Amino acid sequence: MKCPKRLWLRWNQPDLGVVDEAMLARAEIGQKIGILARGLNSGGVEVPGDSLSERLENTAQMMRDGHRVLYEAAFAVDGLFAQVDILFRIGEAWGFREVKSAKTVNDNHVKDAIFQYHVLNRSGLSIERVELIFVAQETPMIEGSRVQDLFVPLDVTDICRRESPELPEAVNELLAVIESGEAEQIRAGRHCEATCPYLGHCFGDLADDDLLFAPSLDKRKYQSLVDRGIYRMSEVPADEELSNKAEFVRRALGSGRVPWVAPDLGRRLAAVKYPAVFLDFETASPLFPVNPGMKGGELVVFQFSAHVLSEPGGDAAHFEFVDLESDDPHAGLVEALTPVLAGAGSVIHYSAFEKRCLTRLVGAGVPGAQELLQKFLASSVDMEDFFKDGVYHPKFRGKSSIKVVLPVMVPGLDYSDLQVKNGGMAEMSYVAARSGELVGADLAARREALLRYCERDTFAMVKLFEALLGLV
Ligand code: SF4
C-alpha cells in the first residue's frame, strides 16, 4: 500500500477522484484486450448488472443455472469484493483468468490475483487454477491469428494457495486504515503517482511554490527540508545550497516578478532562424500490430502538422499530413515533410519526441528519412527548454508540458473544444482506423478530428513563441 490516503479516499470519498482522458484511454485499451482474451475460454456469458448487488446476484444465479464460463463474475464475502475477468469450470471445481494489458508481470498483478483467490475461496468455490494472461512478446496481427497466439498465460495457482492464508491480516490492516480516518490527514508528497485519481484533491490546496513543484530538488534535500517543517520554496533559508534548477525557482520567487524571465532568454530566442518551422508528430505504438510486417509495441509515425513562420510577428502557413489508410504511412509522411523542412532556418518542436520519431523513420529505412533527421538535428530548437529554465511562472507548478504552460501563457487557447484532445486519443484513433473499427463517415470524421488536434499543437507553439517574444 503506497498511500493509505488513496485507499481511504477510494472507500470514503470516491467522488473526489478524477479520471482524466489519458486514464480513460488506457482503461478502454484494457477493456478491449480483456474482451479479446475471452476467446481463450469462448462460449461464455458476461454477467449483467448495473449495480454491485445485481452482479453478485446474477453471478450466483448463473452458476446455479450451470454456466461453465462466465465473464466478469462478481463475489463478495467478509466485506470484501472481487470480480474476475474469466471464470471457468474445471470438472466440479473452478479456475479463473485475469487479463493484463501488459507483456510482463509485476507485484501488483500477483497481489490482485491472491486477493481474488481469497475472496472466491471464502465464497465457497474450489479453485483449481489461477492464471494471469499477458499479451505475447511477439504479437502477430489480431486479424487472421488464433487467440492463443496473442496471449501467454502465467500460472500463479501455487502462490495464491500459499499466500492467501496471510491475507486476512493484511486485509484487517487495510480495513483499519479505511475506518480510522487518520489517513485523510496525509499530506501529498513524493510518494504520489501521476496516475492517482486524487491528485487534484490532494494537490489543489498546496501553494504554487510548494517544494513538490520545485524542479531537481533531490530526494534527500526534499526530505531534509520537510523534516525541518519547510514545505515552500519561499521558506527555504537563503544559505541553503540548491541545484541549479531549484536555484532558478528561488531566484524567480525572490524577484517578485510573475512570470520571471531568465536573463539569457532574449539571447536564446534571438538565435531562432527564419523561416521557423513549428513541427509536431502523432504516433502509435499499440501492443498488437495493426499493420502487416509491424511488431507489437513498434512506433508508427502516421501524422505531422507544421506551421511555418517566415518572420517574427508574421502569419504562419500551415502544412499537414495524416495517413490512416495505407499499411505503411512512413514513406508518404517523409515525402510530404521533406519540402516543408527544406528551407527551414530553425525547426521548433516541443520535447525530444520528434527526434525519436525521425530516428525511428531512419531505422525503418524510409528513403529520405536520414536527410530529414540531419536537417532536424542541424536546426532543432526544443521549445520546452524555454519553459524549463527560461521562464518561471508559479502556475506551471513545476511542469513544462505544453498542456500546462499553454493556458497560463496564452489564456483562452487550449484543447477543450477538440474531439481528439491528447496523444493517447490520437493513438487510439489510429488503432481504431487500422483495425477496421472506424469506417466510412466515422473514419472521415476522426481523420478531420486528428488533423485539428495536431494543428492545434503547432498553432499553440506559434502562440507560445509569440508570448515568449513579448517577455523579452
Ligand atoms: S494524491 Fe498522493 S496523497 Fe493524495 S491519495 Fe494520491 S498518492 Fe495519496
Side-chain angles (χ1 to χ4, degrees), residues 3-7 9 186-189 191-193 196-203:
C3 180
K5 184 176 186 178
R6 183 168 171 171
L7 176 69
L9 286 167
I186 292 174
R187 193 180 194 277
H191 66 282
C192 300
E193 292 175 345
C196 179
Y198 303 104
L199 286 176
H201 169 68
C202 298
F203 279 65

Side-chain angles (χ1 to χ4, degrees), residues 63-323:
M63 289 171 71
R64 282 196 294 274
D65 290 346
H67 283 270
R68 299 192 65 79
V69 179
L70 292 176
Y71 309 130
E72 309 300 337
F75 301 88
V77 68
D78 304 336
L80 306 176
F81 162 73
Q83 188 162 302
V84 293
D85 289 336
I86 304 171
L87 180 74
F88 56 98
R89 271 277 185 202
I90 305 174
E92 290 305 303
W94 294 90
F96 72 86
R97 287 174 153 160
E98 270 305 288
V99 184
K100 305 296 173 190
S101 40
K103 293 192 172 188
T104 50
V105 64
N106 67 33
D107 268 5
N108 284 341
H109 296 150
V110 178
K111 282 180 188 160
D112 287 350
I114 294 168
F115 179 81
Q116 289 165 311
Y117 175 88
H118 174 79
V119 174
L120 269 64
N121 221 5
R122 292 277 303 135
S123 300
L125 274 72
S126 168
I127 301 295
E128 288 279 306
R129 191 169 182 80
V130 183
E131 282 182 356
L132 296 174
I133 304 295
F134 295 95
V135 175
Q137 290 292 341
E138 293 290 326
T139 41
M141 283 184 71
I142 293 171
E143 200 180 312
S145 296
R146 295 180 329 137
V147 69
Q148 290 83 354
D149 296 331
L150 302 175
F151 297 99
V152 282
L154 176 68
D155 185 341
V156 290
T157 316
D158 286 346
I159 191 167
C160 286
R161 285 194 180 127
R162 210 170 48 241
E163 303 280 328
S164 72
E166 312 289 327
L167 206 65
E169 200 178 321
V171 167
N172 284 340
E173 281 173 24
L174 297 180
L175 291 174
V177 167
I178 289 167
E179 281 158 18
S180 84
E182 269 176 39
E184 194 191 1
Q185 308 309 322
I186 292 174
R187 193 180 194 277
R190 287 282 175 102
H191 66 282
C192 300
E193 292 175 345
T195 51
C196 179
Y198 303 104
L199 286 176
H201 169 68
C202 298
F203 279 65
D205 291 339
L206 299 181
D208 289 334
D209 70 332
D210 194 282
L211 295 184
L212 284 173
F213 307 135
S216 296
L217 205 56
D218 69 53
K219 206 172 165 187
R220 202 181 303 162
K221 175 66 73 180
Y222 172 83
Q223 201 52 51
S224 137
L225 290 166
V226 166
D227 288 347
R228 285 178 272 158
I230 298 167
Y231 289 97
R232 298 177 60 171
M233 282 300 286
S234 50
E235 296 166 351
V236 175
D239 58 354
E240 187 84 32
E241 228 176 273
L242 297 175
S243 68
N244 284 347
K245 283 190 176 167
E247 184 58 40
F248 166 76
V249 173
R250 178 158 64 181
R251 283 178 62 196
L253 285 165
S255 77
R257 290 198 303 272
V258 176
W260 184 78
V261 178
D264 66 346
L265 182 67
R267 178 185 56 74
R268 290 162 68 186
L269 291 173
V272 168
K273 297 191 185 94
Y274 296 84
V277 179
F278 297 79
L279 177 67
D280 183 59
F281 291 121
E282 294 307 326
T283 64
S285 46
L287 279 171
F288 293 103
V290 290
N291 296 327
M294 176 187 172
K295 290 183 189 148
E298 208 165 54
L299 192 74
V300 186
V301 190
F302 62 88
Q303 179 174 10
F304 78 77
S305 168
H307 275 86
V308 181
L309 196 60
S310 301
E311 56 184 359
D315 287 332
H318 183 233
F319 300 86
E320 62 189 4
F321 171 93
V322 67
D323 182 357

